Amino acid sequence: MARRSAPLLRRLVSASSPPALQPLPGHGGGLARRTVTYMPRPGDGTPRAVTLIPGDGIGPLVTGAVQQVMEAMHAPVYFETYDVHGDMPTVPPAVIESIRRNKVCIKGGLATPVGGGVSSLNMQLRKELDLYASLVHCSNLPGLPTRHEGVDIVVIRENTEGEYSGLEHEVVPGVVESLKVITKFCSERIAKYAFEYAYLNNRKKVTAVHKANIMKLADGLFLESCREVASKYPSIQYNEMIVDNCSMQLVSKPEQFDVMVTPNLYGNLVANTAAGIVGGTGIMPGGNVGQDYAVFEQGASAGNVGNENIVEQKKANPVALLLSSAMMLRHLQFPSFADRLETAVKRVVAEGTYRTKDLGGTSTTQEVTDAVIASLD
């Protein structure tokens, strides 16, 4: 058969292109961006109430950025704002009632006294609302150079028991017992959540992080629960890793991890380590979810209230909470708004003109926020 010339082949390929790839009138001659549509139920566009807790330190700055971007997008949400601070003895009942009513909350960091003082209000929220699963998504952002590329890790941590049970007492002066509580019920449900997340998001592997070589009963029960759940998901690879080895593997070869499921304390350490690998806590989104309620906040806890200089100079990084608010929009079944917001944030980070100090820039929170608003499609 005679060989076809290159121009003829190009014409044949062009003629056989699917309609979605052809330039459309009214689109500037560009390619049409058409995907399978999201089909809402009647009434899904009704604006939703969201409980907002600005919090301490940089909290008001970054939650203010979220409010501005939501308003600029005309997102179908409105906020019920409550003034809560970490030195309060308890979370005010009105705040708990608001979250129960709205089922969704977004918050800035709440300062937790170190050593003495009141107990953590973050933990009070998680226990009161049974927000048993914490999720932090640690991944490389385009245009932001880091030591490792190809990192895309989701850390899912049990959020209500373990070392965070708060069961401590002084046996005799100078001797303190702190109880680590692990139950089969909580271990099974966090394992189920991790595997369900992996299944629904086309993730290929779940790694259980533990210290069962030493804590044979407590972490042994956690591992036993993970193994039982893993057997019900044969299409998802399952492996286990001791937490100290996991820490070393995270900083040397983080691309090997996909979804990680952990008890409470290990998950806090692993999530903050993973965040540091891909650019810091200022860009890591996250949230806490239970059967009925969800609270979205900056994913990695280290430095979540910032320091006085950042607050005074108004140079807090709003990226983490903006991406968390995109997660919130998806949770509320507003995927188009979530995509617009996430795309705009990533575009600003990739362009590099407006970055806060933690990302190597000099921009203020407001400058980054304005850049995100200008980048909205």
Side-chain angles (χ1 to χ4, degrees):
M1 188 173 85
R3 178 186 263 173
R4 288 189 173 97
S5 66
L8 177 58
L9 284 174
R10 279 196 292 270
R11 286 198 299 273
L12 289 171
V13 170
S14 176
S16 62
S17 296
L21 296 180
Q22 299 299 322
L24 294 182
H27 288 74
L31 295 180
R33 293 182 298 170
R34 291 286 183 262
T35 58
V36 175
T37 186
Y38 164 66
M39 187 174 179
R41 297 165 299 186
D44 271 359
T46 304
R48 293 284 302 274
V50 173
T51 304
L52 173 67
I53 301 174
D56 297 312
I58 67 170
L61 289 172
V62 294
T63 55
V66 169
Q67 289 177 286
Q68 291 179 58
V69 174
M70 292 292 178
E71 183 177 352
M73 285 198 303
H74 304 290
V77 297
Y78 61 94
F79 297 102
E80 294 180 1
T81 304
Y82 290 87
D83 193 26
V84 181
H85 299 283
D87 57 0
M88 291 179 171
T90 61
V91 179
V95 179
I96 298 294
E97 177 57 32
S98 174
I99 300 174
R100 290 190 189 279
R101 182 174 61 252
N102 299 331
K103 299 188 182 300
V104 175
C105 170
I106 189 161
K107 61 183 282 291
L110 292 172
T112 301
V114 177
V118 299
S119 61
S120 168
L121 296 194
N122 294 307
M123 281 304 302
Q124 287 185 33
L125 274 174
R126 293 166 192 169
K127 289 184 177 180
E128 183 74 24
L129 300 170
D130 197 25
L131 304 171
Y132 67 86
S134 166
L135 186 149
V136 181
H137 189 184
C138 303
S139 62
N140 294 113
L141 292 184
L144 188 64
T146 59
R147 291 179 180 271
H148 298 277
E149 297 298 329
V151 179
D152 188 6
I153 304 170
V154 173
V155 181
I156 295 174
R157 112 192 214 214
E158 204 291 321
N159 220 12
T160 60
E161 57 176 18
E163 294 85 351
Y164 286 61
S165 301
L167 300 175
E168 297 182 313
H169 62 277
E170 190 172 35
V171 183
V172 296
V175 179
V176 173
E177 282 187 343
S178 180
L179 302 181
K180 170 178 177 174
V181 177
I182 297 285
T183 65
K184 188 170 183 61
F185 173 77
C186 289
S187 297
E188 280 187 348
R189 71 176 180 174
I190 195 63
K192 287 177 182 176
Y193 185 83
F195 276 92
E196 187 176 66
Y197 175 90
Y199 171 68
L200 293 175
N201 288 276
N202 195 30
R203 295 277 180 159
K204 307 302 181 186
K205 181 169 68 172
V206 173
T207 300
V209 181
H210 66 95
K211 192 63 178 175
N213 56 325
I214 302 299
M215 299 180 185
K216 298 182 184 297
L217 292 179
D219 285 25
L221 177 58
F222 175 79
L223 276 189
E224 176 187 314
S225 302
C226 289
R227 290 167 184 168
E228 289 177 5
V229 173
S231 66
K232 300 174 184 177
Y233 293 83
S235 63
I236 298 174
Q237 181 185 347
Y238 170 70
N239 69 325
E240 301 166 356
M241 192 171 292
I242 297 174
V243 64
D244 40 355
N245 180 39
C246 175
S247 301
M248 186 272 290
Q249 295 289 337
L250 264 176
V251 298
S252 59
K253 194 179 178 184
E255 60 275 7
Q256 69 182 286
F257 296 105
D258 192 355
V259 175
M260 306 172 78
V261 59
T262 77
N264 208 328
L265 178 61
Y266 308 153
N268 195 7
L269 304 177
V270 165
N272 280 273
T273 302
I277 288 169
V278 293
T281 59
I283 61 172
M284 292 299 104
N288 309 278
V289 67
Q291 190 65 41
D292 300 308
Y293 313 107
V295 174
F296 296 88
E297 59 186 335
Q298 181 172 307
S301 61
N304 66 345
V305 296
N307 58 49
E308 291 183 6
N309 288 335
I310 294 176
V311 175
E312 290 173 0
Q313 297 171 13
K314 298 184 178 180
K315 291 188 174 181
N317 191 347
V319 168
L321 200 64
L322 287 171
L323 292 176
S324 296
S325 65
M327 291 174 59
M328 179 189 75
L329 288 170
R330 288 199 181 91
H331 178 78
L332 291 171
Q333 297 186 20
F334 299 133
S336 178
F337 288 92
D339 290 344
R340 288 176 60 200
L341 174 52
E342 187 173 304
T343 299
V345 171
K346 290 183 176 179
R347 183 178 296 145
V348 170
V349 173
E351 289 173 352
T353 305
Y354 297 98
R355 291 181 180 176
T356 49
K357 184 177 180 181
D358 58 314
L359 301 184
T362 59
S363 301
T364 64
T365 306
Q366 190 60 54
E367 288 171 339
V368 175
T369 304
D370 290 341
V372 171
I373 292 172
S375 296
L376 290 168
D377 289 330

